[in-house]
């Protein structure tokens, strides 16, 4: 995942606290990243301006100089006649900076309004459709139930999986996870419960249940109904746009957020390069290379047949 769990859910403070403090001219600062629909609260800014204690430095996005955290401190500095302010620079992306701004404004200072938190939740769901309702709720200071309502009302991208606050990937359709577990246990009966659970995106107890059904000969309950088998019409290899297909696969959360999926993507991305170097290889190595690549090609062919067989009985 682009964001790790701690940074995405708690904001930039751990990252910013280790950065040096600099002085930035107030007139060079850009607008705030902060998701406040009402803008600066003048009464709160005046309270800060009258404070006798030193205020913490603001956090600013490097490059854009947008204010991630501290818009009221900036206003307080203006009210006291200062021309610059203490700040730390953050190299976060726009999406990360937004998450940090939300986290900062629900953790301290003037709290976000309910309307602002709901708006933040809708934006975070659009940014990270694979995040679970509870993870989004933790990031914006709402309940998981409220986030669920907002998600269902939104007309945005829908992910096949959910990534929880613990970082684990879980399929939205639990039956699909059981199907994956069944396939893995059938092909690798020696695999541990945790290995299969991690690859299938389900709990170890779910995998244990699937394994017990296999041992009792009750796997029919875990398999899809075959009444609506969808035939697959193979395409000629020359008709396939590998670049486009790889691009689509690389953006599929169900592959990007599982170890087996990432491994497969690395293999697939490395394939195009291997067919362009034959002329540069030493001739005395070519017979061995030919034997190996034929063997690997045979394994890939077996893999393709298994994938097509599973797709026929488990339509997408």
């Amino acid at each position: 995942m682009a964001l790790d769990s701690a940074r995405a859910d708690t904001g930039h403070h751990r990252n910013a606290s280790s950065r040096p403090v600099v002085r930035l001219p107030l007139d060079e600062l850009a607008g705030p990243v902060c998701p406040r629909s009402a803008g600066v609260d003048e009464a709160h800014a005046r309270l800060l301006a009258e404070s006798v204690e030193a205020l913490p430095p603001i956090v600013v996005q490097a490059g854009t100089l947008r204010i991630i955290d501290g818009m009221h401190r900036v206003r307080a500095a203006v009210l006291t006649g200062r021309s610059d302010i203490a700040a730390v620079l953050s190299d976060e992306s726009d999406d990360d900076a937004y998450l940090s701004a939300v986290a900062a404004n629900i953790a301290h200072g003037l709290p976000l309004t309910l309307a602002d938190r709901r708006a933040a939740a809708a934006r975070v769901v659009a940014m990270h459709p694979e995040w679970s309702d509870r993870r989004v709720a933790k990031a914006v200071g709402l309940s998981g139930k409220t986030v669920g309502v907002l998600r269902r009302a939104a007309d945005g991208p829908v992910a096949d999986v959910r990534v929880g606050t613990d970082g684990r990937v879980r399929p939205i359709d639990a039956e699909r996870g059981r199907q994956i577990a069944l396939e893995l246990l059938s092909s690798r009966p020696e695999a541990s419960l945790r290995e299969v659970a991690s690859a299938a995106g389900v709990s170890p107890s779910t995998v244990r249940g699937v394994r017990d059904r296999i041992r009792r000969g009750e796997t029919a309950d875990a398999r899809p109904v075959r009444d609506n088998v969808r035939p697959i019409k193979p395409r000629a290899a020359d008709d396939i746009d590998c670049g486009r297909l790889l691009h689509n696969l690389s953006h599929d959360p169900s592959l990007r957020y599982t170890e087996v999926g990432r491994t497969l993507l690395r293999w697939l991305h490395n394939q195009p390069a291997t067919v362009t170097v034959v002329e540069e290889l030493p001739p005395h190595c070519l017979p061995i290379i030919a034997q190996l690549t034929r063997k690997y090609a045979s394994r890939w062919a077996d893999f393709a047949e298994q994938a097509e067989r599973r797709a026929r009985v488990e339509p997408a």
Side-chain angles (χ1 to χ4, degrees):
M1 184 168 294
L3 286 173
D4 61 62
S5 176
R7 184 175 181 184
D9 294 341
T10 62
H12 64 278
H13 293 293
R14 295 177 186 175
N15 181 38
S17 62
S18 62
R19 295 179 179 275
V21 178
V22 298
R23 304 293 302 189
L24 293 179
L26 294 176
D27 58 6
E28 292 184 7
L29 296 176
V33 177
C34 178
R36 292 183 185 274
S37 57
V40 172
D41 185 296
E42 287 293 330
H44 185 65
R46 284 194 295 272
L47 285 175
L48 294 178
E50 296 170 1
S51 174
V52 296
E53 297 181 358
L55 299 176
I58 65 173
V59 181
V60 177
Q61 186 183 30
T64 67
L65 293 186
R66 292 195 305 159
I67 303 166
I68 295 175
D69 181 25
M71 59 185 296
H72 286 98
R73 276 165 277 167
V74 170
R75 180 57 181 163
V78 172
L79 292 174
T80 56
R82 297 201 301 272
S83 61
D84 60 10
I85 193 170
V88 293
L89 296 176
S90 170
D91 57 0
E92 292 174 301
S93 67
D94 289 345
D95 286 351
D96 290 6
Y98 183 83
L99 288 167
S100 291
V102 173
N105 282 280
I106 64 175
H108 66 81
L110 188 65
L112 291 177
T113 65
L114 177 60
D116 286 337
R117 280 179 280 147
R118 290 172 65 92
R123 178 167 172 179
V124 174
V125 166
M127 287 163 45
H128 294 285
E130 75 281 3
W131 280 15
S132 69
D133 292 346
R134 290 181 62 187
R135 184 167 185 175
V136 175
K138 182 179 178 181
V140 301
L142 289 173
S143 69
K145 183 177 180 180
T146 299
V147 173
V149 171
L150 293 172
R151 187 193 297 273
R152 289 189 292 273
D155 184 19
V158 178
D160 293 332
V161 297
R162 289 285 186 270
V163 182
T165 55
D166 57 2
R168 291 186 55 196
V169 180
R170 299 172 177 85
I172 297 175
D173 184 358
E175 182 59 30
R176 180 179 180 184
R178 285 191 288 271
Q179 291 293 338
I180 296 173
L182 174 62
E183 295 283 346
L184 292 172
L185 288 171
S186 299
S187 61
R188 295 181 53 207
E190 77 285 356
S192 70
L193 294 179
R194 289 191 177 277
E195 287 176 330
V196 176
S198 176
V202 296
S203 67
S205 61
T206 298
V207 178
R208 184 182 296 108
V210 174
R211 187 183 63 183
D212 290 344
R213 288 200 298 273
I214 293 175
R215 290 174 175 174
R216 295 193 301 266
E218 299 174 0
T219 56
D221 292 340
R223 292 188 176 277
V225 177
R226 297 173 176 252
D227 293 340
N228 297 318
V229 172
R230 179 171 57 92
I232 295 178
K233 181 180 179 181
R235 297 178 60 184
D238 292 341
D239 293 336
I240 296 176
D241 185 345
C242 293
R244 179 179 60 82
L245 295 179
L246 277 175
H247 174 80
N248 293 342
L249 280 179
S250 298
H251 288 77
D252 189 321
S254 60
L255 289 177
R256 291 174 59 191
Y257 300 120
T258 62
E259 183 60 34
V260 66
R262 289 191 293 269
T263 299
L264 177 63
L265 289 174
R266 286 194 293 269
W267 290 345
L268 291 173
H269 277 287
N270 287 335
Q271 294 307 304
T274 62
V275 299
T276 63
V277 297
V278 174
E279 297 300 326
E280 301 176 19
L281 298 174
H284 70 277
C285 294
L286 293 179
I288 298 176
I289 293 173
Q291 293 180 46
L292 287 171
T293 52
R294 281 199 179 95
K295 185 64 176 179
Y296 294 154
S298 175
R299 291 176 179 175
W300 275 114
D302 291 342
F303 181 91
E305 289 179 4
Q306 293 179 39
E308 290 174 345
R309 189 181 309 117
R310 181 180 170 194
R312 291 189 188 101
V313 299
E314 190 177 341

